[in-house]
Amino acid sequence: FPNMAAKGSGGFDPRQEAAKLLERKVELERDLRVLEQQIFNYEGSYLKDNPYGNVVHGWNAYKSDDEFPKEIRVEDAHRIFTNSSSTAAKAIAQSKSG
């Protein structure tokens, strides 16, 4: 029974299973990068499109008579959702580089 040693007990092939798991890991990593990029983009849009107030800066601007800047600068420190991910920084840097 030489094939039994390679397949293990019950016809289970550990190499084939490892290859499937590795393929699934690559898929999940790709999906995570896509989601993190989407969150980064949505968050940037939200921060830029709400100059009168948002969850990061508050809504004090509604009470103020000050003029608002024409272009809102989004700083990385304001990205609370993007920064909550331990892998987002790497994903964003990879997407910017190519």
Side-chain angles (χ1 to χ4, degrees):
F1 299 110
N3 289 340
M4 287 298 284
K7 290 190 174 190
S9 62
F12 176 75
D13 185 355
R15 290 183 183 141
Q16 187 177 15
E17 187 65 22
K20 287 180 186 177
L21 291 172
L22 186 58
E23 184 178 317
R24 180 69 177 141
K25 178 182 180 270
V26 169
E27 289 174 11
L28 290 172
E29 288 173 341
R30 185 195 68 238
D31 292 348
L32 179 60
R33 281 192 307 274
V34 168
L35 286 172
E36 288 175 333
Q37 185 64 51
Q38 288 175 338
I39 290 169
F40 180 86
N41 293 339
Y42 290 143
E43 192 171 35
S45 294
Y46 170 77
L47 293 169
K48 284 182 181 179
D49 294 344
N50 294 287
Y52 301 106
N54 56 56
V55 296
V56 176
H57 297 288
W59 285 268
N60 290 335
Y62 278 115
K63 297 186 246 176
S64 173
D65 292 330
D66 296 338
E67 283 192 36
F68 296 99
K70 291 180 182 176
E71 185 177 325
I72 303 298
R73 183 168 177 237
V74 178
E75 298 178 23
D76 286 340
H78 297 155
R79 295 180 177 278
I80 57 175
F81 297 104
T82 299
N83 292 332
S84 69
S85 170
S86 62
T87 58
K90 180 180 174 186
I92 302 305
Q94 284 178 347
S95 70
K96 287 181 180 179
S97 67

